[in-house]
Amino acid sequence: MRATIIHAPGDIRVEEVPDPEIRHPTDAIIRTEATCVCGTDLWSYRGIHPVAAPQPIGHEYIGVVEEVGSEVATLRPGQFVIGSFVASDNECEHCRGGYHSACRRRELVTGCQAELVRIPLADGTLVALPEQPGRELYPGLLAVSDVMGTGWYAAVAAEVRPGAVVAVVGDGAVGLCGVIAAKELGAQRIIVMSRNPERQRLALGFGATDLVAERGAAGIAAVRELTAGSGAGSVLECVGTGESLQQALGIVRPGGNIGFVGLPAGVDISGRQLFHSHAGVRGGMAPVRRFLPDLIDRVLGGIIDPGLVFDLVTPLDNVAEAYRAMDARQATKVYLQP
Amino acid sequence: MRATIIHAPGDIRVEEVPDPEIRHPTDAIIRTEATCVCGTDLWSYRGIHPVAAPQPIGHEYIGVVEEVGSEVATLRPGQFVIGSFVASDNECEHCRGGYHSACRRRELVTGCQAELVRIPLADGTLVALPEQPGRELYPGLLAVSDVMGTGWYAAVAAEVRPGAVVAVVGDGAVGLCGVIAAKELGAQRIIVMSRNPERQRLALGFGATDLVAERGAAGIAAVRELTAGSGAGSVLECVGTGESLQQALGIVRPGGNIGFVGLPAGVDISGRQLFHSHAGVRGGMAPVRRFLPDLIDRVLGGIIDPGLVFDLVTPLDNVAEAYRAMDARQATKVYLQP
């Protein structure tokens, strides 16, 4: 099959490799219908994560079951499925508590920018659709497998409730999906921090009510002015830098909540500042599996269309160009057709 | 009147000073029936907080209204009252949201280790009892004004719910009151980290089900073993050091919650660690005013008795001895009779 292999930072290629095989009786092999490039894939591309040897890459996928292991009970070849980037058994106490990304048996799914992928713990990980969806729904369904699920978790972690005043820090694909989530969860006001005209346009289409182009102290002052000095009750922090966390802490209301979904690597939070903010803070790798059935329903029902975050569509063979465009910020998120 | 004045670290005296006066029309003057020494008072006593000039000290009190300012509408002389250490108007949006300690007009109450105290924003700050309580209830009511309210907030911030598995880090007066709160909020299991036999005994009396004497990695391992590897759903962090926060992060379940009520001065929290914990964290100076009516009812009804945290009772004139005993950890909390 053809698969994307990263050889070194900046060196990414589609190559002919052996097809994946069932390794454990709980595995499934799926044939991808669509995949895409994630902001976190750029960590390897940019050399932030070391690339010790050539390796498969990609963790977002929708596809059709090709083969199942002997212990897979709920899936059969031919079914159209969606899964998260974290394989989970959907049975342990952490999964039952809604934290599938902390599953006791979790495994990270990888190698998805390819024609075929092996999915561990298939019964727990994959959600089958009742029937083959129309191709026009593919972008929305693909978004659900990661960025939409992550944006939803940010909103849930920030405890967005009906009538809430919400602020979203970050206008990437996850932040934009966070806007969709806040709107669906009943936010009355959604303030999006963005200075990019195209992303501002998308945010407004998704339900943003206010845009703030300023950053730093000026951005904090602007949000405070918009909220009569109080700050936002729910802040979705969708970047993961020290600056974005400071932004979030600066605009949250006392007693409000911050959901943070970008890994803040190397970032420390001052205990004193967190104490005085009175804010609740919850982050983590999103337990996307928790939200899949609901989000799939919303996409199939035409209620949300997170597929709009894809602003470049290209064949898998052009994967190098896809990475280059995202690295150069010429594309927000690239959809790949295997 | 007689009042406690701290002159320098370690130098604390009861002196004759002028009576306090109404400064603002929203003030009240109360005659203290009881006051006490708080762990945070020791910060000045130990020189952690600088003492630039001799100053009054103490922020816990129960007493009888002596005089009210011209704009005080709901209180009259002779009423028995309890208030928090943060004066608040009980009207602004932060108070209405339950975060009185972030009141837009907040002022810290001080000088309470004295015969008379001026309380700002009296209508918002003070809760009057329907009648004069019996003296046997004074310790419990006094505890409500700070440590019990703070322990309660720790449990609320940690989202203790019926059936919860709770861990309490810190066996001081606040931690012990946190045990009471967890029990009242329906916790099924309450694990208390303590190595002090007297405090262990109190904790068990308040509803603790398990005691863990180990600290650090051994303490984390012990709590994990008690919870079948999962960790506690709610952790009350009642110390405020880097070690205690690490303890809390090490024993919380993915998706669980940490309430932290000790000011972690100079302590940084790793963004990466917080991210991977999937824990919700909320701290801050407790909005005690939110809980006063409910906690007063529980004390008057004999449902809780947080007054048991006082293990030394002494006249106000012996305040220097009270500080010395707490500084030397010979007393958990000292009750002062003006």
Side-chain angles (χ1 to χ4, degrees), chain A residues 245 260 262-269, chain B residues 268-277:
Chain A
L245 265 171
F260 70 105
L263 172 65
V267 173
D268 286 333
I269 300 166
Chain B
D268 285 333
I269 301 167
S270 150
R272 179 187 286 271
Q273 183 181 16
L274 190 58
F275 184 89
H276 288 303
S277 76

Side-chain angles (χ1 to χ4, degrees), chain B residues 318-334:
Chain B
N318 290 349
V319 72
E321 175 56 22
Y323 274 77
R324 199 205 53 72
M326 277 184 62
D327 181 44
R329 299 179 69 84
Q330 288 163 357
T332 301
K333 195 160 179 74
V334 184

Side-chain angles (χ1 to χ4, degrees), chain B residues 19-277:
Chain B
D19 287 357
E21 293 179 356
I22 299 285
R23 272 189 231 162
H24 304 287
T26 48
D27 288 349
I29 304 293
I30 68 165
R31 182 168 295 276
T32 54
E33 291 280 344
T35 179
C36 52
V37 183
C38 182
T40 55
D41 293 330
L42 296 180
W43 295 353
S44 305
Y45 187 79
R46 290 172 175 162
I48 299 166
H49 277 191
V51 181
Q55 54 192 261
I57 190 168
H59 55 265
E60 295 154 289
Y61 57 96
I62 53 175
V64 173
V65 177
E66 184 91 0
E67 184 186 356
V68 296
S70 60
E71 289 180 17
V72 173
T74 62
L75 299 166
R76 58 180 190 279
Q79 284 183 311
F80 190 98
V81 291
I82 304 180
S84 155
F85 50 93
V86 180
S88 56
D89 65 13
N90 203 28
E91 285 178 349
C92 76
E93 74 274 30
H94 299 328
C95 286
R96 289 198 311 271
Y99 284 84
H100 298 74
S101 40
C103 172
R104 287 207 184 245
R105 297 167 70 195
R106 75 172 171 188
E107 290 182 48
L108 295 181
V109 177
T110 189
C112 298
Q113 289 158 8
E115 291 180 294
L116 295 164
V117 192
R118 183 184 68 88
I119 306 293
L121 302 170
D123 277 327
T125 305
L126 298 171
V127 175
L129 268 60
E131 57 189 29
Q132 167 75 34
R135 292 193 77 88
E136 73 284 3
L137 293 172
Y138 281 13
L141 293 169
L142 179 61
V144 158
S145 80
D146 184 348
V147 285
M148 185 64 235
T150 298
W152 195 271
Y153 173 61
V156 168
E159 300 192 7
V160 175
R161 307 237 194 279
V165 175
V166 176
V168 180
V169 180
D171 63 0
V174 172
L176 292 168
C177 288
V179 176
I180 296 175
K183 173 83 174 171
E184 289 293 299
L185 291 167
Q188 185 181 33
R189 198 153 179 202
I190 304 173
I191 303 164
V192 177
M193 313 203 71
S194 171
R195 53 176 61 186
N196 177 311
E198 184 55 28
R199 297 179 185 194
Q200 288 181 338
R201 194 188 59 75
L202 264 180
L204 291 171
F206 287 156
T209 56
D210 301 85
L211 299 169
V212 169
E214 295 88 346
R215 295 185 185 182
I220 291 171
V223 175
R224 295 221 156 259
E225 195 178 323
L226 284 171
T227 56
S230 292
S234 295
V235 180
L236 283 56
E237 201 288 87
C238 304
V239 183
T241 62
E243 292 71 23
S244 60
L245 265 171
Q246 280 304 317
Q247 199 78 36
L249 284 164
I251 62 180
V252 69
R253 192 185 66 200
N257 293 279
I258 298 171
F260 69 105
V261 291
L263 172 65
V267 174
D268 285 333
I269 301 167
S270 150
R272 179 187 286 271
Q273 183 181 16
L274 190 58
F275 184 89
H276 288 303
S277 76

